[in-house]
Amino acid sequence: MADGAPPRPDAAFLGVERSLSGRAWRRRDPDPAEVRALVQGHGLSEPLARVLAARGVAAAGAVAFLSPTLRESFPDPSSFLDMDAAAAAILDAHATGASIHLFADYDVDGAASAALLVRWFRALGREVPVYVPDRLTEGYGPSVPAFDRLKAAGAELVITVDCGAAANAAVAHAAAIGIKVVVIDHHLMREDPPACAAVVNPNRPGCGSGQGNLAAAGVVFVLLAALNREGRRRGLFADRPEPDLRQWLDLAALGAICDVTALTGFNRTLTRLGLGMLGQWRTPGLKALMEVAGGLPDTVAASHVGFALGPRINAAGRIGRADLGARLLSTDDPAEAAALAQQLDQLNRERREVEAAVAEAAMAQVEARGGVDSRSVILVAGEGWHAGVVGVVAGRLRERWRKPVIVAGVDPVAGVARGSGRSQSGVNLGGAVQAAWEAGLLLAGGGHAMACGLTAALDALPALEAFLDARLAGQQAEARQADTVDIDVLVEPAAATRALLDSFNAMQPFGPGNPEPLFAFSGVTARDPALMNGGHVRCRLTAPDGSALRAVGWRLADQPGGEALLSGAGGLAVAGRLKPDDWNGRRGVQLEIEDVHDPRRA
């Protein structure tokens, strides 16, 4: 371990003021006294204690962070605006035998949210149908035609999950045709909520829950607690067991991870405990999907959800039947789960092919236009770009250019562009899109800080881009200054062992709000570099003493860092995340490269 006293917080770590990706390196600088207290009071290793202290985990709060419990962190459901009204409206409908239907978004969070409610009602002996709109023909969220279909199906109460907070007109139509609506959402919303029985959203103006980082599945999980509480008050469980919510923690974790929410506070507890429940593989759909994705891991991490389960569930809403994800997560039939998992796996393969073509065209458009450095947001649009993959492509472009990106598919017949955006940390893209809607530049739009969806007239795109560029200029400038590579630990390749990696598992789950530790290696040479399909780069990072570490840089080949690795350059500084390398039972580690610095090209 080569990890001495930390430099000043504003000093460039290892002298890296501008890496090959254009970022400065900084070292996280914990309070030495807190590090000692964590080591001495909790028996933690010095590297782990250092990383925890740098993230603000004090010795007094270490147990709550390392061993969180629902009892300690669960919020009072009544702290959510309209939560009690929502529980009452739902149980009133259940008591009178009214026809209850769910309306869910077509992504993972929507599917998980719907499955939570389906399973809660099933525990009461009732099956509740789920309506999921088609992304291409219906678009996002509730609509007038959708409510007309639900009315024709006999719906008397509709619970929207992961959508509905901005659907004022559609919800008003539902009321006009005699449908009661309860909205459960987490997206940014306007001051005036839809007029309905209840609107539960921790990001609703006036909500005092303090749980704005929850995904919709997390909000639904709290709703289930409110339903249990109200059900007890009404004697609903006098002749049947009260549903045990802990059995569905895996679904709450699924929504939190796949919607890229901040894993802090109660949301982190849900996710941590949910991953533990997921590892028991009690939900047939999740077990079947993981089996087709490569087999059941010994220990489930957030990465298994984000990179194996999530994309396959999302594939249904992107290029297949929108309701497949909700059906997979709701079924208790292993045979049905296996069949649905196979469908989703095939759809995911097709999605990857479509995504690659759109990504290539979108990147070419960005590069042809030029001027990326002077813009605070990138907006590209193309005819024939599949609406189901534009969000994923926006995320890839955001990773490359490190600023908010909106990618839109053009419908020349209708004269509109429908797009999805992904943002950079510190830049509230959803808020800017909301402002654009209020300014009359959008036909529809909404989202949250890190993601958005929108529909605009084709002739409005230039004005929209100019508006967003001006609106986000200040935030993007600040975000660029803050866009550093924050190093946790400096190590030698010989010290990057499986034991070191395993010691950091206590910090999981990793994600926004609890980033995975970044390890730095100095003075290494890229040996045996190889270009892989997909633009990935593999090599061995070799130290002067001959010790080496396997490393991979995803989609790095055509960027300066990848070029340096492929050239076999020496004297490099490399930062990345240690990952298990269990190929052929070796139980080793490899580095997933985040950034590369070449002092000769500084």
Side-chain angles (χ1 to χ4, degrees):
M1 192 77 60
D3 200 18
R8 302 188 322 274
D10 60 343
F13 186 55
L14 299 179
V16 183
E17 287 286 5
R18 188 174 177 82
S19 70
L20 293 180
S21 70
R23 291 178 285 172
W25 288 16
R26 299 287 185 262
R27 186 172 177 184
R28 298 185 191 272
D29 191 17
D31 180 349
E34 284 294 348
V35 175
R36 287 194 298 272
L38 286 165
V39 171
Q40 296 169 2
H42 299 278
L44 305 180
S45 68
E46 192 275 340
L48 176 58
R50 179 184 177 80
V51 173
L52 287 173
R55 282 157 171 70
V57 179
V63 172
F65 184 86
L66 297 172
S67 302
T69 64
L70 287 177
R71 180 182 297 276
E72 293 295 326
S73 62
F74 208 101
D76 179 2
S78 298
S79 67
F80 290 72
L81 195 61
D82 271 5
M83 182 68 84
D84 292 339
I90 292 169
L91 288 181
D92 285 347
H94 176 68
T96 61
S99 180
I100 301 173
H101 291 237
L102 305 179
F103 187 109
D105 189 20
Y106 36 62
D107 69 358
V108 176
D109 193 21
S113 299
L116 282 166
L117 277 163
V118 167
R119 291 180 173 282
W120 187 85
F121 278 110
R122 186 177 293 155
L124 269 61
R126 179 174 190 156
E127 289 296 322
V128 177
V130 182
Y131 184 105
V132 183
D134 183 274
R135 183 189 293 262
L136 299 182
T137 61
E138 298 181 73
Y140 168 79
S143 63
V144 168
F147 277 123
D148 285 339
R149 294 187 192 98
L150 287 164
K151 180 67 175 179
E156 296 173 276
L157 173 69
V158 173
I159 307 170
T160 74
V161 290
D162 197 27
C163 58
N168 294 47
V171 172
H173 176 73
I177 61 175
I179 297 178
K180 288 186 177 181
V181 177
V182 169
V183 172
I184 310 295
D185 205 348
H186 72 127
H187 294 95
L188 298 177
M189 58 184 293
R190 307 173 189 125
E191 289 287 342
D192 297 325
C196 57
V199 177
V200 182
N201 183 340
N203 288 304
R204 174 182 174 180
C207 181
S209 67
Q211 301 295 330
N213 60 330
L214 287 177
V219 183
V220 171
F221 196 84
V222 179
L223 171 65
L224 299 188
L227 288 169
N228 274 2
R229 184 176 66 181
E230 179 65 11
R232 287 194 299 273
R233 190 185 70 79
R234 297 185 181 202
L236 183 63
F237 309 120
D239 58 352
R240 62 168 57 88
E242 180 177 326
D244 184 352
L245 306 186
R246 293 172 297 180
Q247 64 186 311
W248 304 318
L249 278 164
D250 53 354
L251 297 173
L254 190 70
I257 294 168
C258 294
D259 233 47
V260 199
T261 59
L263 301 182
T264 58
F266 170 61
N267 197 38
R268 180 177 182 273
T269 301
L270 273 183
T271 308
R272 170 74 173 255
L273 299 180
L275 287 173
M277 182 60 66
L278 178 58
Q280 298 180 33
W281 304 109
R282 293 184 179 181
T283 301
L286 290 175
K287 180 179 181 181
L289 195 60
M290 196 71 225
E291 286 174 336
V292 302
L296 304 182
D298 293 334
T299 302
V300 181
S303 58
H304 293 111
V305 175
F307 296 106
L309 297 174
R312 287 170 170 81
I313 297 171
N314 268 331
R318 296 191 187 283
I319 62 172
R321 281 189 52 185
D323 65 343
L324 291 180
R327 287 173 55 196
L328 176 86
L329 300 181
S330 299
T331 185
D332 288 322
D333 180 354
E336 182 185 18
L340 289 169
Q342 290 291 343
Q343 289 184 59
L344 290 170
D345 189 55
Q346 178 58 38
L347 285 171
N348 191 52
R349 294 193 191 97
E350 297 171 14
R351 186 271 307 170
R352 284 199 295 257
E353 295 175 0
V354 173
E355 177 192 322
V358 174
E360 183 178 358
M363 288 184 181
Q365 188 179 130
V366 174
E367 291 168 346
R369 288 182 59 188
V372 172
D373 289 344
S374 64
R375 288 142 62 189
S376 56
V377 64
I378 297 171
L379 192 158
V380 289
E383 185 174 343
W385 291 359
H386 198 293
V389 302
V390 291
V392 182
V393 173
R396 287 183 57 180
L397 269 61
R398 185 214 63 81
E399 290 175 7
R400 176 159 185 162
W401 281 289
R402 308 199 68 76
K403 60 181 56 182
V405 176
I406 297 171
V407 179
V410 169
D411 181 345
V413 176
V416 300
R418 296 182 178 88
S420 185
R422 298 294 182 268
S423 192
Q424 184 75 346
S425 180
V427 183
N428 189 341
L429 183 58
V433 166
Q434 177 67 31
W437 183 89
E438 293 168 352
L441 294 171
L442 293 174
L443 301 175
H448 48 78
M450 296 299 290
C452 73
L454 55 83
T455 302
L458 287 180
D459 56 9
L461 288 181
L464 172 63
E465 184 173 23
F467 177 90
L468 294 175
D469 192 66
R471 179 91 180 185
L472 296 175
Q475 293 182 43
Q476 176 58 27
E478 293 179 2
R480 183 178 178 84
Q481 290 296 319
D483 185 20
T484 58
V485 178
D486 296 319
I487 305 298
D488 289 288
V489 184
L490 175 66
V491 297
E492 302 290 347
T497 63
R498 187 58 173 260
L500 176 67
L501 173 60
D502 289 347
S503 72
F504 282 89
N505 285 338
M507 290 183 60
Q508 293 208 43
F510 299 121
N514 185 37
E516 196 167 349
L518 269 183
F519 296 83
F521 302 82
S522 180
V524 295
T525 299
R527 300 288 189 194
D528 304 323
L531 176 62
M532 304 165 60
N533 290 337
H536 313 311
V537 177
R538 279 201 180 278
C539 66
R540 290 186 303 114
L541 299 177
T542 305
D545 65 2
S547 62
L549 173 67
R550 293 162 60 91
V552 60
W554 304 119
R555 292 192 292 270
L556 202 61
D558 61 349
Q559 298 184 47
E563 294 167 359
L565 296 172
L566 288 170
S567 73
L572 301 175
V574 180
R577 300 168 183 84
L578 290 177
K579 299 287 186 178
D581 180 12
D582 295 334
W583 182 252
N584 282 339
R586 67 166 57 99
R587 281 196 57 80
V589 296
Q590 72 171 358
L591 187 75
E592 289 190 354
I593 296 172
E594 168 67 23
D595 203 15
V596 179
H597 174 65
D598 186 345
R600 296 163 301 182
R601 300 174 61 185

